[in-house]
Every structure is written in structure tokens, then in C-alpha cells.
Amino acid sequence: MARVVLGVGASHSTLMNTHWDKVVHRADAERFRDALGEAREAIAAARPDVAVIIGSNHFRGFWLDLIPAFTLGVGEVIASGESGTPSGPQRTDPPFAQALAERLVEAGTEVAISARLQIDHGQTHAIQYLLDGLDVPVVPLVVNVFAAPLPRLDRCAELGANLAAALGAMPGDTRVAVIASGGLSHQLPWPADWRDPQGADEEFMVEAWLNGRGDWQRYDAHRREIITAARPVIFDEFDRRFLADLEAGRLRDYLALSTAELGERSGNGGQELRTWLTMAAALGFAPGRSLAYAPMPEWLTGMGAAVIEPEPA
């Protein structure tokens, strides 16, 4: 049977690629970067045959005309390449991904599928740093974390548990690394609800989210201006508690939070923690190990990295 051999959670930010020269908190930035390298070494040591990357999509592959709660890339995977992240077709394993989609449905989660999935830095930041130099095919699992209504946190955990069950039902001895990309806390200059934009910038964002399919580059420069001009909002205490709870195997406690409660505690960008909870559930909420935490106002985000090893059978 296929099995999960390692879980990894890591924050992402394209500002890490484009604004390194503007970093003031250099020691914090280098500590997080080194933690990504440590996580990459842990993945290499686990010798995965495939990496399932659970991440968000920042309206470069999904749009308000169609945005499922959960989508599995089962064929071609194309990276958008924004802000120095990987670009173009990525290495995949379509037979494995298609079999996984079928097993997920049998396990109880009806994921949408895409045979030509465009991903952005919500997935490719992990490919760039965590899989650097590793010849491992990827299976993207995209979770809707920005376009309300969002999937409940307990449904994300159910997805993670069913992912482990689906792998366990697959033949062969495929070794799988499960990577969660996103978070920790941050506040993006995006509308709290796309149905009620406030001001010209939020109206522009909603227009881009609705009309960007096949034309997202037309909106990207002004989107970037709005984001880089934003005031940093990081919930440092929440982030440290979240990582402590990951180490103690207590992330299951977060499943009772509503979308509104998670947003109040960690910002609208903290909704990406759905990816971490999905990954942790695939590891049975086993205790993990925090590698680093760095509140980075220059990157607008609390940057964290952690690993979870499966408990012995």
C-alpha cells in the first residue's frame, strides 16, 4: 500500500523572492530560510516517490466563475511563475494522481479534478524551496481559502484523514510526502467578502478575481502595488501557540473554530492554515517539530516551518 512518510508545513511569500534586499530583520529571515533548507533535507531523507502539495490559489488558476472547495491536479500542472517562482509545466505522475482521486472519493471526499491545473506560489513556493533539487513528481491539492464561503476546518481535517485512507488503499509501496503551504498569520489587503468590496482597491481585486481567467497578467502589476503597500498585520502570539500545539499534537483543537473566528485570530491570510490542518490530519495529528518561526513584517506574514513524522504503526 502507499503510505505517508513525512508531513511538512511551511509559510510562503513571494516577497521572500522579490524583497530580500529590503529585509530589516535579516536574522529572522535567514532563520526561516535555513528552516526551509532543513525541511528540504528531511524530505530528501524520507525518500518520497511523490509529493502531495496542499496549498491555496491566489486567483491565478481559479476564479470566481468556478472555484471548488478542494481540487486535485490529476494531469498536466502548469506553474504561473509570478515573482520569481517556478514557471511552466511541472513534473507529475498522472496515473498515481488519478488513482488517488478515485480512492479519495471512495474514502468519502468528493474532490474536484483538473487535468490541466494552473498553480501559483501557493504551491510553487514549496516546489522552489522544499523540493529544490529533488526529482519528485508533485500532486497539487488546492484548498479554497479566499473566496467565501470557505470549507469548514473540520471538513479539511476529514480531507486529510481520507487522504491517508486513500493512500492506504492503493496498491504498491509508494512513499508520499504531504506538504502544506501557506500561513501563518497575516492580513492581506483583500476584501473581507468578495460580495461586498469596500473602496476602489477592493473593487479592483474583485474584478481581477472574476475576470482574470486567461488574462491574469493584465491585473498583476496593480495587484502587486496594492499588496506591497499594505500595512503588516501579524498575530505573533497566535503563531507561536499554533506551532506549540503542532509540537504537542494538539492541532485537532482548532477544528472547532469557525471561519470568522480563525480570521479574527490570524487575519484573512491565516485562513491558509486549512492546509496545515489537512496535512496534520493526514499524519493522524501526531506530535511534530517546529523548525523556525519568524514574524516578518517585510513579507507581511508570520513565517513558520515544521515537520511531522508518522507515528509507528
Side-chain angles (χ1 to χ4, degrees):
M1 67 180 191
R3 58 194 175 98
V4 178
V5 295
L6 188 70
V8 176
S11 303
H12 61 238
S13 173
T14 57
L15 297 176
M16 180 175 169
N17 288 355
T18 61
H19 284 59
W20 188 270
D21 60 334
K22 297 180 173 61
V23 168
V24 175
H25 303 84
R26 183 59 65 95
D28 288 344
E30 290 177 348
R31 185 167 65 254
F32 174 72
R33 181 191 60 192
D34 291 346
L36 292 181
E38 186 176 351
R40 184 259 180 215
E41 292 306 312
I43 294 172
R47 297 179 293 107
D49 300 302
V50 66
V52 174
I53 304 181
I54 308 168
S56 54
N57 192 289
H58 304 78
F59 296 98
R60 292 183 179 89
F62 288 95
W63 313 94
L64 290 177
D65 62 353
L66 181 61
I67 184 164
F70 310 122
T71 304
L72 196 71
V74 299
E76 188 177 9
V77 173
I78 304 168
S80 59
E82 79 281 8
S83 304
T85 54
S87 177
Q90 303 298 300
R91 187 184 171 204
T92 60
D93 185 345
F96 177 86
Q98 291 163 16
L100 178 58
E102 292 181 6
R103 297 292 188 178
L104 269 170
V105 172
E106 292 173 3
T109 298
E110 293 80 9
V111 291
I113 61 167
S114 174
R116 184 176 293 124
L117 179 64
Q118 179 171 301
I119 58 175
D120 63 22
H121 69 272
Q123 310 268 344
T124 57
H125 198 274
I127 294 173
Q128 182 175 17
Y129 291 100
L130 299 178
L131 299 179
D132 181 31
L134 303 180
D135 190 22
V136 179
V138 298
V139 177
L141 178 53
V142 183
V143 179
N144 172 29
V145 302
F146 293 127
L150 307 183
R152 295 196 321 253
L153 301 186
D154 62 328
R155 286 284 290 157
C156 294
E158 182 180 300
L159 168 63
N162 286 343
L163 173 62
L167 291 170
M170 294 176 65
D173 190 29
T174 304
R175 301 170 62 87
V176 180
V178 180
I179 300 172
S181 180
L184 299 171
S185 72
H186 58 295
Q187 183 69 28
L188 295 167
W190 289 5
D193 190 323
W194 63 270
R195 295 162 292 192
D196 185 29
Q198 302 294 313
D201 284 349
E202 291 192 2
E203 290 175 357
F204 171 84
M205 285 290 192
V206 172
E207 178 188 348
W209 296 355
L210 182 60
N211 300 318
R213 186 178 298 279
D215 195 24
W216 64 266
Q217 293 94 337
R218 179 163 67 92
Y219 297 94
D220 217 42
H222 188 43
R223 276 177 42 136
R224 193 73 172 170
E225 291 172 356
I226 294 171
I227 291 170
T228 55
R231 178 178 65 89
V233 178
I234 298 172
F235 298 83
D236 182 86
E237 183 178 344
F238 172 89
D239 291 341
R240 295 184 189 278
R241 185 183 307 114
F242 184 87
L243 290 173
D245 288 336
L246 179 146
E247 291 195 308
R250 293 194 299 258
L251 289 189
R252 187 181 278 106
D253 295 346
Y254 289 76
L255 304 183
L257 293 177
S258 68
T259 294
E261 288 169 333
L262 182 60
E264 289 168 2
R265 300 184 188 190
S266 62
N268 59 7
Q271 303 292 354
E272 289 180 325
L273 288 171
R274 283 169 169 78
T275 67
W276 288 61
L277 295 173
T278 304
M279 177 274 293
L283 275 292
F285 290 105
R289 178 165 55 96
S290 176
L291 303 179
Y293 174 66
M296 290 298 300
E298 299 94 328
W299 300 341
L300 303 179
T301 304
M303 308 294 288
V307 297
I308 303 177
E309 296 180 359
E311 293 185 316

